[in-house]
Amino acid sequence: MGEQRVTIRQITRRDFVKGTAAAGVGLTLLGQRGLPTSAHGGRALTQATAYNITFIQGVRGDEFYVTMECGIRAKAQELGVTIDVQGPEQFDATLQTPILNAVVQAKPAAILIAPNDTQAMIAPLQAAADAGIAVFCVDTTINSDLQIADISSDNVEGGRLAARSLAEAIGGKGKVFVVNVKPGISTTDQREQGFAEALQEFPDIEYLGQEYSNNDPIQAAAIASARIQSDPDLAGIFGTNLFSAQGAAAGIREQGKQGQIRVVGFDAGPTQVQDLRSEVVDILIAQHPGDIGTTALQMAVDYLNTKTEPDPNKITTGYTAITRENIEDPEVARYLYISDCSQYVTPEGTPVTGTPATGADATPTS
Ligand code: T6T
């Protein structure tokens, strides 16, 4: 873990302004700030009118989506847009669909949604589009092109980054294992795909495969514990999202293996940060959910104002790899997730006022 700070960005402000196709992912060291908050260089193309826009989270109470919500609310405050936030109690398309259907009945101008499943959410989102609502996917996506744009991390690249970080942490050899969420979630499926792919660069690492925790940290802990018992020489674990990583850390603690098994966790929620500080977890790959939110809302408002489809319409935001060595650096710490919008500060330093987050509880009910 020689690098103190690693930030990946895929689209630069110049790329947005020029409207170029997505640039290749570059690994850049130090000095990077967050992405531009606008797909058009930081300002709406024209003045926003009083739009009602709904953000449907992937799951309530997950600090990744809370931080995204805060970014959306900050941008909404700037643009004069009214935001409604909804979300299922679990990451489950059967719970997210009725929420979406009710939102469609209320007819907002646009919906920003993290779909719970790549297939199951297509038909309900098609119904939203058919009702004249502008659909934008944030974070997760669907296997369709009905949405006007996708704004997310580059999840395959994030998985590769996790593999290379874990490989370095275990000295390039040994058994590794993945605690994943559930099949059909675009983001976490892609992270595992990138992880497995990049592991091929390391002939002395044996990949034991993945198990699904259903976004439940308790299940994730049980999976990690069982794996440590069946493979006591396990060298490393990759937890593909906040709850998988949190659970993997709990499993390691249960088995008394802290410091012996290296852990790379996706995301950077408060419990994950505690696990990093207490040396159970070694690296957190923080996404930039605030940037996903602000970029998506700006794109939605630009679209509503101009009725012009964005080009490009697949926007990827960056990552910051967080370690015990760099966590105190304010340029790194600004990417830690938050559980309350009063903690959110925009890249311009503006606090978000009067906008409580919808979910302060970090653990979804399951
Ligand atoms: O990792 C994020 C998000 O990107 C993923 O789609 C689902 O899990 C999280 O919300 C973290 O819990």
Side-chain angles (χ1 to χ4, degrees):
M1 281 163 282
E3 285 158 4
Q4 293 293 296
R5 182 193 319 157
V6 178
T7 299
I8 290 184
R9 293 175 18 148
Q10 181 155 8
I11 301 286
T12 65
R13 179 182 292 271
R14 191 173 301 127
D15 297 323
F16 273 89
V17 173
K18 283 187 177 166
T20 56
V25 170
L27 190 70
T28 50
L29 302 180
L30 303 175
Q32 297 283 4
R33 290 189 61 87
L35 276 172
T37 51
S38 169
H40 300 282
R43 64 202 143 73
L45 289 176
T46 53
Q47 191 63 42
T49 53
Y51 299 120
N52 289 320
I53 295 182
T54 300
F55 169 41
I56 304 181
Q57 301 169 320
V59 67
R60 290 174 73 89
D62 173 335
E63 287 107 351
F64 171 82
Y65 293 114
V66 172
T67 307
M68 191 186 297
E69 172 186 344
C70 302
I72 291 171
R73 288 192 184 278
K75 183 51 83 176
Q77 199 170 288
E78 184 190 310
L79 298 178
V81 170
T82 302
I83 296 294
D84 176 37
V85 179
Q86 310 264 342
E89 293 297 327
Q90 294 170 45
F91 212 101
D92 182 338
T94 65
L95 300 181
Q96 195 180 43
T97 299
I99 292 172
L100 171 60
N101 292 345
V103 168
V104 170
Q105 293 304 310
K107 273 226 166 223
I111 292 175
L112 314 181
I113 183 169
N116 277 183
D117 187 274
T118 49
Q119 278 307 122
M121 294 310 296
I122 296 175
L125 282 169
Q126 185 65 60
D130 292 346
I133 300 168
V135 174
F136 289 77
C137 289
V138 285
D139 177 45
T140 49
T141 192
I142 45 177
N143 293 336
S144 169
D145 57 6
L146 72 88
Q147 65 276 30
I148 290 164
D150 284 285
I151 304 95
S152 70
S153 304
D154 180 334
N155 288 290
V156 176
E157 189 55 29
R160 292 188 193 117
L161 176 61
R164 292 174 189 138
S165 306
L166 189 58
E168 187 181 343
I170 64 174
K173 59 177 189 303
K175 293 178 178 173
V176 300
F177 177 65
V178 170
V179 181
N180 208 341
V181 184
K182 64 165 137 174
I185 303 175
S186 62
T187 49
T188 46
D189 284 353
Q190 288 169 359
R191 288 170 202 164
E192 193 277 333
Q193 179 198 324
F195 182 84
E197 197 183 291
L199 276 188
Q200 290 171 8
E201 296 161 14
F202 304 95
D204 296 331
I205 294 182
E206 184 185 350
Y207 181 31
L208 300 180
Q210 62 180 326
E211 272 181 62
Y212 294 105
S213 63
N214 203 28
N215 214 29
D216 176 356
I218 295 168
Q219 277 190 48
I223 287 169
S225 272
R227 179 57 62 164
I228 293 165
Q229 284 171 352
S230 67
D231 291 273
D233 56 344
L234 187 68
I237 301 181
F238 170 38
T240 65
N241 84 336
L242 190 148
F243 300 107
S244 311
Q246 215 172 280
I252 286 177
R253 254 189 254 101
E254 266 166 39
Q255 298 300 318
K257 289 279 197 174
Q258 42 286 51
Q260 294 171 48
I261 296 173
R262 302 287 161 197
V263 181
V264 173
F266 227 81
D267 297 304
T271 303
Q272 291 179 281
V273 169
Q274 273 174 27
D275 291 336
L276 180 74
R277 290 189 193 281
S278 60
E279 304 190 16
V280 185
V281 168
D282 300 283
I283 300 166
L284 297 178
I285 299 179
Q287 304 185 72
H288 297 174
D291 293 344
I292 294 176
T294 54
T295 302
L297 188 67
Q298 183 72 65
M299 288 177 77
V301 168
D302 287 348
Y303 174 75
L304 294 170
N305 282 340
T306 64
K307 292 290 177 291
T308 305
E309 303 251 341
D311 178 21
N313 75 345
K314 306 256 181 267
I315 305 298
T316 52
T317 53
Y319 291 112
T320 300
I322 302 181
T323 62
R324 280 180 288 283
E325 288 73 44
N326 71 12
I327 192 165
E328 303 307 334
D329 179 342
E331 281 301 308
V332 169
R334 67 193 287 268
Y335 291 111
L336 300 179
Y337 302 175
I338 54 180
S339 54
D340 179 337
C341 288
S342 66
Q343 302 162 329
Y344 187 79
V345 177
T346 66
E348 296 78 34
T350 319
V352 184
T353 55
T355 51
T358 52
D361 174 10
T363 307
T365 53
S366 51

